[in-house]
Amino acid sequence: MTNNAENHEIPKGSHTFSCHCKCTQGVQKVEAAHFLHGPYPATHFGPKACILPNPTSVMHIQDPASQRLTWNKPPVNVLVIRKIRDESLFEPFKELCRFLVEEKQMMVYVERRVADDASLSKDEAFGSIRNQLCTFREGYDDISDCIDLIICLGGDGTLLYASSLFQGSVPPVMAFHLGSLGFLTPFKFESYKTEIAKVFEGNAAITLRSRLKVKVVKDISKTTEGSILKVSGLCVCVTQVLNEVVVDRGPSSYLSNVDLYLDGRLITSVQGDGVIVSTPTGSTAYAAAAGASMIHPNVPAIMVTPICPHSLSFRPIVVPAGVELMITLSPDARNTAWVSFDGRKRQEIQHGDCIKITTSCYPVPSICCHDLVYDWFESLAQCLHWNVRKRQARLADVSDSSDTEN
């Protein structure tokens, strides 16, 4: 969306409504329609006030309801991720691979440890399909530029693992619910042929699940410009996180004591068991257990949730997606802290280290079974039993409801 300071015209289809203003009279006419995104805000306030025009300002906002998957070229290479150490998934995995290879003529990629599984090696009927599978090893082989579609068989962990394999652009992800929880896996495997065919045809609804770009910086040097803290040092880790970054006290019996900065300004010190910095997708995971609100994945935000804070007034907060958060050990911290990224790559944070967290420009395009609103509320109801209770019985018809008998 282009912000035009002269006539305030917004291109059709780019947002919720058009706003036509007569600045000399201070009159605005707004035509609104029903969209999932909030309306583009008016830039004139009353008869004389307006936002300072900026000719270089360009804002692109796509309505979530218009997020549809399409293919520039037909997909060829499919990555199949199977939950490991679960024998119940052998048959669905073999059935899916046979369908993709024989009926759809796809190149199927799997992890080497999955292809080398003893149960698959002993299956002679699957041998011809197994020989056609392309294998890779995590951390050794880069498959980020050759995968067109990801299909996950298992629970939410398979989607988190798929996200970790792609530190840049992520292919569309289609997740089948074959795990224990399945909040992020909306598809049922019973109808996999029909659902996959629909995805190959295109025009499927997708949810862009934002990720966090996290940097761990060692041996930092600090400079201040007014109240703004700037740090520099040796960046030892850069990773993309789909759910959350967790900073905790680790094995120490002392409280964790870390400082939280927002865009270089000290916001607060966190004393407690730790702090969770999560995406909206992660708001229904660890953050929800720590008392945070659950946020729809299309809301552009970052959540900060303390873990058992020492102060009872320290409530979870939500900050805009465009800010940079930074976490360091407080100068008077009695112990180090530990950080993990989606439950992986756990490492120690010492004095002189910092963690920088921003919203990544590489979301995970998660394919919806129905649409991005229905799928989310269906997951809340089915997986988390959100607001499930025994319904209150209605009162019997009485002439005077204020005078009822027990």
Side-chain angles (χ1 to χ4, degrees), residues 194-208:
T194 303
E195 299 295 350
I196 292 177
K198 291 180 181 178
V199 170
F200 285 164
E201 293 171 0
N203 199 31
I206 59 173
T207 297
L208 297 180

Side-chain angles (χ1 to χ4, degrees), residues 195-354:
E195 299 295 350
I196 292 177
K198 291 180 181 178
V199 170
F200 285 164
E201 293 171 0
N203 199 31
I206 59 173
T207 297
L208 297 180
R209 299 186 178 275
S210 63
R211 296 194 291 178
L212 299 176
K213 181 180 180 181
V214 188
K215 297 180 180 180
V216 177
V217 183
K218 300 282 187 179
D219 302 323
I220 62 174
S221 59
K222 301 179 180 180
T223 59
T224 57
E225 297 181 3
S227 60
I228 306 298
L229 174 66
K230 294 185 177 182
V231 301
S232 59
L234 176 63
C235 183
V236 297
C237 174
V238 180
T239 188
Q240 305 280 335
V241 174
L242 179 57
N243 261 0
E244 72 273 304
V245 180
V246 178
V247 179
D248 59 60
R249 59 192 176 104
S252 173
S253 59
Y254 291 111
L255 290 176
S256 171
N257 192 353
V258 297
D259 291 339
L260 177 65
Y261 294 82
L262 191 150
D263 286 340
R265 289 184 170 86
L266 178 64
I267 300 301
T268 190
S269 294
V270 183
Q271 296 186 74
D273 282 352
V275 62
I276 305 167
V277 180
S278 61
T279 65
T281 294
S283 69
T284 53
Y286 194 177
S293 296
M294 295 181 289
I295 298 180
H296 190 277
N298 264 105
V299 177
I302 299 175
M303 304 183 63
V304 179
T305 306
I307 306 172
C308 298
H310 194 257
S311 170
L312 295 180
S313 64
F314 193 170
R315 309 309 304 158
I317 60 173
V318 179
V319 298
V323 304
E324 180 186 69
L325 295 173
M326 184 173 66
I327 299 175
T328 65
L329 280 178
S330 296
D332 53 351
R334 297 183 178 181
N335 56 290
T336 62
W338 289 77
V339 60
S340 61
F341 316 100
D342 281 342
R344 309 181 76 198
K345 300 179 181 178
R346 187 169 171 83
Q347 54 188 278
E348 190 174 15
I349 300 298
Q350 302 177 340
H351 287 284
D353 302 342
C354 77

Side-chain angles (χ1 to χ4, degrees), residues 1-2 10-17 59-63 66:
M1 177 188 304
T2 301
I10 302 170
K12 293 182 179 180
S14 61
H15 211 274
T16 57
F17 63 79
M59 182 183 298
H60 298 284
I61 303 177
Q62 182 180 10
D63 186 77
S66 66

